[in-house]
Amino acid sequence: MKKRTPVSKIMTKDLISVNLSNDVTDVVDIFKEKNIHHIPVVSGDELIGMISKTDIDRISYVNSYASKAANAVVYDMLKLEQVMTSELETIQAEDQIKEAAELLAQGKYHALPVMEGKKITGIVTSTDVIKYLLEQF
């Protein structure tokens, strides 16, 4: 097993991000169109939060009786900053995959923004780490 492989080798580099001018409906549409589960929230080059599909699910009516219109009303009532996670754990691009695995194994997050200094350059998810580990066997 390659013990010193940096996170940058397995992270998603082609980021889709949103900013506070986007609304919750924009995020829901991106999740559906791109089949992704985590989106960084930025202000210029600064990472200010992360929104996940789980965050959206928490505010959605998930029972079979709810209509799309009911969810749309909820989405319109909330601002992105009310739904996103703003206290983030991040990792540096040169940090080892083992460090990402240790952070993700704590169970608080399923994705980590990957930084180069203070600039976000990617995302690494628990799925990325698992796929990497499976390639080692």
Side-chain angles (χ1 to χ4, degrees):
M1 184 176 294
K2 304 170 196 166
K3 293 186 178 187
R4 301 206 184 275
T5 306
V7 169
S8 60
K9 296 291 184 191
I10 65 167
M11 71 182 188
T12 299
K13 296 175 182 135
D14 298 327
L15 286 180
I16 296 170
S17 62
V18 294
N19 59 51
L20 295 180
S21 68
N22 291 102
D23 57 34
V24 175
T25 303
D26 295 335
V27 172
V28 170
D29 292 342
I30 292 169
F31 283 142
K32 287 178 185 173
E33 290 170 18
K34 302 295 184 180
N35 195 29
I36 58 176
H37 297 266
H38 305 89
I39 302 173
V41 182
V42 297
S43 177
D45 283 341
E46 181 185 358
L47 175 68
I48 58 170
M50 182 84 87
I51 187 156
S52 70
K53 186 152 181 346
T54 303
D55 295 328
I56 299 298
D57 289 346
R58 283 188 193 122
I59 63 168
S60 299
Y61 291 101
V62 292
N63 67 40
S64 59
Y65 300 107
S67 68
K68 289 182 182 181
N71 282 331
V73 168
V74 172
Y75 299 158
D76 289 342
M77 288 179 7
L78 297 170
K79 296 202 175 293
L80 192 55
E81 58 263 32
Q82 294 173 298
V83 182
M84 72 181 196
T85 301
S86 56
E87 293 183 26
L88 300 173
E89 188 78 46
T90 63
I91 193 160
Q92 293 293 313
E94 70 273 4
D95 289 344
Q96 296 174 21
I97 293 171
K98 181 181 185 284
E99 293 173 65
E102 289 169 346
L103 289 170
L104 292 167
Q106 292 174 9
K108 291 167 67 175
Y109 310 102
H110 295 286
L112 298 169
V114 180
M115 312 296 285
E116 285 185 14
K118 293 188 177 193
K119 183 179 181 197
I120 185 168
T121 59
I123 291 179
V124 65
T125 67
S126 50
T127 302
D128 296 330
V129 172
I130 290 167
K131 286 179 180 177
Y132 171 78
L133 293 172
L134 287 172
E135 289 173 3
Q136 304 308 305
F137 292 97

